[in-house]
Amino acid sequence: MERSGDGIFAILSMFSAISSVGIAAVVVFIYQVVAVISVWRATAKPGVSFWTKVFCRYALILNLMIAAVALRFGAGGIIFGGILYLAFWFFWGKGRTGVQSPRAERVLPAEMPKTVKEKIDSVASGGIDLAGFSRNNAGEPRLADYVQRVTPSASMKKRVHIAPDIPAGKLASAIGSRHFKAGLKNQQPFMLLDDSGRFDGKHGLLVTDEFFDFSFPGIEAVTFSYSFHSDGFDVKGQSVYRGGRKCAEFSNFKGDDLAKIFGVFNEFFADRDAWWRKSAEKGDRNAQFKLASSLVGNKEESMHWLRKAAEQGHPIAQGNLGTYLTSSDPEEAFLWLSRSAAQGNEHSQRRLAGKEFDSYRNKTGITI
């Protein structure tokens, strides 16, 4: 999480503290100049005695000396404060990304979806293999094709970038500011919605072939792996919701533009899910596996399609089915994991090494 706004405020506070005395000295200088002019003009009027003129104008010499000292001290204080400000900015503030003041009204709820690593870990513990989603069957809807349908308004063309026309500098900046940048090395970027104040790509939405990543100043980055879920986005003004939770709040995009863009994403989800179901019903084992994995809210139907794919020899489906059955039916789980491991599925091979399967391994004589 980045709270870079605090840094700039600290720098400005230090600058103000050091320069305030110098600024006060400049005010004193201006006051002394005004006083000298006023006294000189007053003593030049007719009727003013000789000694009054001498006394008052002698005092002006002291005023001028004070003014000179104040000017020198004030200028020195301001210059010193400016140098200190620039030094801190160069060595400390420059390296921070997105130096902007966090806005309280943009802070999202504390309960946020899991980060990419946590999502992958939780999925792996359930047996789902990410590799199974990277392969598309012929005719299966692809997000890259839907992204090309986005037509930004004239005012948004500087902020909406669609592959292959994503500026290299902005893309590098966007990836570098994300918390999952290491995982993006093998990702193919599809779209960048630049919500940064300075058009640098650091904040906004980055869409790849695996993830939707939202990143905003002072807010923890939020990532969705769209391969695992079919629920779409809901746009209300400049806020974006998914699964009933606010996941993003844009500053530089109009609500109408956001609705059009996320409407294209929702169209993709609907078409893809319909294609999966139609193909699964026709017996396509890959579609059965993907449909089963996307039905996270319907365990009964998910298990139905997972078993269908496993029975057709889908290695990942076999491993997932075995993993899910480990606690309820370890003997059947061992058989499915064995079939998956025999096809080279490393996840199933690791699961079979567990002590809970020792008795079944000795009973069947199956070794991988």
Side-chain angles (χ1 to χ4, degrees):
M1 182 184 298
E2 296 180 4
R3 301 194 181 279
S4 52
D6 295 339
I8 188 65
F9 283 129
I11 294 173
L12 290 174
S13 298
M14 185 168 293
F15 166 71
S16 300
I18 293 179
S19 300
S20 59
V21 178
I23 294 172
V26 172
V27 173
V28 171
F29 167 76
I30 295 174
Y31 172 79
Q32 294 295 336
V33 170
V34 172
V36 167
I37 295 174
S38 299
V39 172
W40 186 274
R41 294 179 62 183
T43 55
K45 293 181 179 180
V48 179
S49 66
F50 173 79
W51 291 109
T52 300
K53 290 182 179 181
V54 171
F55 179 81
C56 291
R57 292 181 176 180
Y58 176 80
L60 292 181
I61 298 175
L62 294 178
N63 283 56
L64 290 173
M65 292 176 63
I66 294 173
V69 172
L71 178 62
R72 182 176 180 182
F73 184 85
I78 293 175
I79 292 173
F80 179 74
I83 293 174
L84 184 62
Y85 171 83
L86 293 175
F88 268 84
W89 175 260
F90 182 83
F91 291 107
W92 189 85
K94 188 178 180 181
R96 303 285 179 172
T97 58
V99 182
Q100 300 182 34
S101 302
R103 294 162 50 186
E105 67 271 21
R106 295 181 63 191
V107 176
L108 306 186
E111 184 183 2
M112 300 301 298
K114 295 178 181 179
T115 62
V116 173
K117 184 178 183 303
E118 291 171 336
K119 169 61 72 176
I120 292 176
D121 289 343
S122 65
V123 167
S125 65
I128 297 176
D129 192 329
L130 287 171
F133 289 92
S134 61
R135 296 185 294 270
N136 290 76
N137 289 0
E140 181 177 347
R142 297 174 62 254
L143 180 59
D145 298 329
Y146 284 74
V147 167
Q148 297 297 323
R149 301 180 187 178
V150 175
T151 54
S153 61
S155 61
M156 290 292 103
K157 287 186 177 180
K158 290 184 178 180
R159 294 191 176 278
V160 179
H161 305 285
I162 302 172
D165 299 321
I166 303 178
K170 285 192 176 185
L171 180 59
S173 179
I175 294 175
S177 64
R178 262 53 176 187
H179 68 293
F180 65 98
K181 58 184 179 181
L184 262 182
K185 290 180 179 178
N186 298 321
Q187 292 297 303
Q188 180 182 356
F190 289 159
M191 172 186 285
L192 173 63
L193 301 186
D194 185 2
D195 197 49
S196 303
R198 291 179 285 186
F199 295 94
D200 54 18
K202 292 179 179 178
H203 304 295
L205 170 67
L206 179 63
V207 181
T208 74
D209 53 353
E210 289 284 345
F211 304 113
F212 288 91
D213 177 82
F214 302 90
S215 178
F216 297 93
I219 301 175
E220 183 176 1
V222 181
T223 302
F224 292 98
S225 177
Y226 66 81
S227 298
F228 295 104
H229 298 284
S230 301
D231 51 318
F233 294 99
D234 185 20
V235 178
K236 298 178 181 179
Q238 291 181 298
S239 300
V240 181
Y241 296 79
R242 196 177 193 198
R245 295 178 179 178
K246 182 188 289 188
C247 59
E249 185 171 336
F250 290 81
S251 293
N252 299 299
F253 280 84
K254 296 180 180 179
D256 292 343
D257 289 308
L258 291 176
K260 292 178 182 178
I261 293 170
F262 284 91
V264 171
F265 296 157
N266 291 343
E267 183 182 352
F268 162 72
F269 289 130
D271 291 349
R272 183 198 61 181
D273 292 355
W275 189 93
W276 280 353
R277 184 170 293 278
K278 184 177 180 180
S279 299
E281 292 172 349
K282 290 181 178 180
D284 187 319
R285 70 176 193 175
N286 290 326
Q288 291 170 345
F289 166 68
K290 291 184 177 182
L291 181 61
S293 301
S294 70
L295 294 169
V296 292
N298 189 333
K299 185 176 180 180
E300 183 177 353
E301 187 178 7
S302 176
M303 291 297 292
H304 166 77
W305 291 113
L306 186 63
R307 185 175 288 275
K308 286 283 189 181
E311 289 172 350
Q312 293 199 78
H314 194 292
I316 303 174
Q318 291 174 337
N320 290 352
L321 182 58
T323 299
Y324 291 134
L325 292 173
T326 299
S327 58
S328 60
D329 192 341
E331 184 171 4
E332 185 181 4
F334 176 77
L335 294 176
W336 285 116
L337 288 170
S338 299
R339 293 174 184 176
S340 176
Q343 296 193 65
N345 187 284
E346 296 181 358
H347 175 80
S348 297
Q349 292 171 356
R350 291 194 297 269
R351 292 287 298 182
L352 281 175
K355 293 182 179 180
E356 66 267 31
F357 295 118
D358 284 347
S359 60
Y360 302 105
R361 190 181 300 105
N362 296 332
K363 179 180 178 180
T364 63
I366 296 177
T367 58
I368 302 298

